[in-house]
Structure formats: C-alpha cells, structure tokens
Amino acid sequence: MAQKDTIIPVNKITLSKAIANWEAEHVGEKLADLEEVDLIFRNIETLDSSISSLTNCRILSLSTNCIKQMIDINLPKLERISLGRNRIKRISGLTNVASTLKELWISYNDITTLDGLNDCTKLEKLYISNNNIAQMNELNKLVNCVNLIDVTFKGNPFMVVD
C-alpha cells in the first residue's frame, strides 16, 4: 500500500524569532557580529525592529521567506539586501541605507511600481525580475540611480512583446 503524503503546516515567524532561532542553532555566535547575515528559508513573515540589531551587516539575505512588507532599514554598513521569493508588494524603507546600498535583489515578488528607489543613488545592481511591473514609464523612477550597471526586469508584464 502506498504511503500518503502528509502536508505539514509551517508556522510563520517574525524576524526577531528567526534571529533567536539562528543564535540557538549557533551557540556562542551572535548575528549582530556578522557582516554577512543569511536568514533564507526561515518562514519569516514579518520584519520588525530587531533588524536594527544587525549593525555590522553588509550583506543581508532574507530570500525565500514569506515577507509581505518591507520596513525602515537603518544598517550603516548595508551594501546588499536580498529579498527575492517573498510576498512583497511595495519597495519601501530604504531611505536610511540609500547612501550605502549597492545591490537590491528583489525578484519573484508582487511589486508593481519602482517607487521607493528614488534615494538609492549608490545602487549598482537591481534584480527585480518576475514581478508585476506593467508600465514601461516606471523606469523613469530610476533617473537618480546613476550608478546602475546591472539590471534585470525579465518576467515583468511590461517586458512582454506581442
């Protein structure tokens, strides 16, 4: 007799809980001490103020979670943030890192507009493929991003050619 697959419900957690879980798994280590913070596949649904504890972070990986909304990020050394494969609908919260942020990886979300990138003048890489940007004129919102050298928009509705 074939065994039936069982669906196990996944509990969604906050960022602070994900940090606590990581530190419990890595006894004696603190995420706040690291320059590269990897919290992918952690079932994070909600970002919270605990993000500000990651003061040494240059590279923050939060991809493949369940994050619905970005919050204000105030990490003085942040150069790359990876938020791909979440449920984000709007880019926000980057004003405080605009002077250091060089890379935003935010593909496979539900983003419809490029609002929120105006201040990111240091941005060099923007990976925003497979979202829901339907209007070509959204690209005008990148006019202040004069350092962009690597951009991916593939899979957005405005890229579809009939």
Side-chain angles (χ1 to χ4, degrees), residues 16 20 26 61 65-66 80 143 145:
S16 58
H26 299 85
S61 299
N65 280 291
C66 308
R80 179 196 312 157
V143 70
C145 301

Side-chain angles (χ1 to χ4, degrees), residues 13 20 48 59 62 64 72 81 83 111 116 120-121 133 150:
I13 62 174
D48 55 39
I59 299 171
L62 294 167
T64 318
D72 286 339
I81 186 166
L83 290 160
I111 295 167
C120 296
T121 58
I133 302 169
D150 191 1

